Every structure is written in C-alpha cells, then in structure tokens.
Amino acid sequence: MLTTFSPQTPSAQLRIDTSNVMPGLVRVAVAGEVDLSTADVLHAGLLAVLSAQLPERIEVDLAKVTFMDCGGLAVLVAAGKAAARTGCQLRITNPQPIVRRVLDLTGLLDILTARFDQTLPVATSSASGSPIGPTARNVTQSVDLLACV
C-alpha cells in the first residue's frame, strides 16, 4: 500500500509517501522542507499512518528532507509519543547533514535514530518507561521550550 500526501504551502512543498515494508513496519518517506508552515502536514500524515494502519513500527525516512526547524523536531517528538501510546515504535532514518546537525545539537539524534527494540515491548523499553529513550522527558521538555518565530 502506498499513500502520498503532497500539499502545497506558500513557503515550500512537502511530500510524504508511505509504504508497507513488511508486516507491522511502515516506512514514511518525507521530501522537502519541514518547517513551521509544513510541520502540521507531517504531523497529520504520521498520525494518519498510526491510526489507519496500526503498525508495530514506523520508520520515518528523511533522506530527501532539505531543511528542518524546531517545528519539525516537535512533530517528530510528538509523533514518537503518540506512537508509544499505541504500542508502536517510531524512529528516523537517513537524515541529511543539515537535518542531522539540528538533531545532534538538540540532543535528539541518538534518541530518534535508535534501532528498534527487538526484545522488549515498547512501553517498557527503557528505565524511565519512555519508548524513545531514558532521557526523552528532559529532551522533550527542551524541544517544547524552543521558541520559533
């Protein structure tokens, strides 16, 4: 199954393609700029995949993302939390150098690119009970505090 969201926004284009890679795993390929004007589209696309397909794992491929600001970071963290509430794991793959740098500077790179946990259920995969890492609460609070103007 392949689904595409391609809304036009005033500042940029964002394309989201989803495909079932294998049973329980959905790949969401994102292309374009993820910023304040397109972040809500990415958020809606990820939530649509989560609610419609009920996957065990979602892989967000950022190979064709040319820019990401704090709006995009907030979406990835929020989508990770939403996925965890349903027992799903979310991780990102292939961040381009500019996106990788933003993720690294905010402390999200290792958390969001972590390999899927093969042995434990999502809800108990870390000491803090957070599905995206033991320091996710602190990192999430930092992301929530980012001021985007």
Side-chain angles (χ1 to χ4, degrees):
M1 177 176 157
L2 179 65
T3 308
T4 301
F5 301 95
S6 300
Q8 298 292 326
T9 62
S11 64
Q13 291 183 6
L14 182 68
R15 182 179 170 102
I16 303 168
D17 296 316
T18 65
S19 59
N20 292 330
V21 177
M22 59 191 318
L25 174 61
V26 175
R27 178 172 295 130
V28 178
V30 184
E33 296 181 1
V34 184
D35 57 20
L36 288 175
S37 68
T38 60
D40 58 336
V41 174
L42 177 58
H43 191 250
L46 290 173
L47 291 182
V49 166
L50 190 59
S51 64
Q53 298 186 36
L54 302 172
E56 294 172 17
R57 298 178 174 135
I58 298 175
E59 180 179 282
V60 182
D61 185 345
L62 302 179
K64 295 183 180 179
V65 172
T66 56
F67 176 80
M68 181 176 288
D69 70 6
C70 61
L73 296 176
V75 164
L76 293 175
V77 171
K81 287 180 174 182
R85 285 191 295 271
T86 67
C88 177
Q89 293 177 311
L90 181 139
R91 77 175 180 114
I92 62 166
T93 61
N94 306 314
Q96 294 304 298
I98 190 73
V99 175
R100 178 177 286 279
R101 179 159 168 74
V102 171
L103 291 166
D104 190 36
L105 289 172
T106 58
L108 291 171
L109 183 63
D110 290 339
I111 293 168
L112 292 175
T113 59
R115 291 280 179 210
F116 290 126
D117 181 5
Q118 299 292 330
T119 57
L120 298 175
V122 175
T124 60
S125 63
S126 71
S128 68
S130 170
I132 57 175
T135 60
R137 171 177 277 164
N138 296 338
V139 172
T140 302
Q141 289 172 349
S142 298
V143 170
D144 292 340
L145 295 175
L146 290 173
C148 299
V149 214

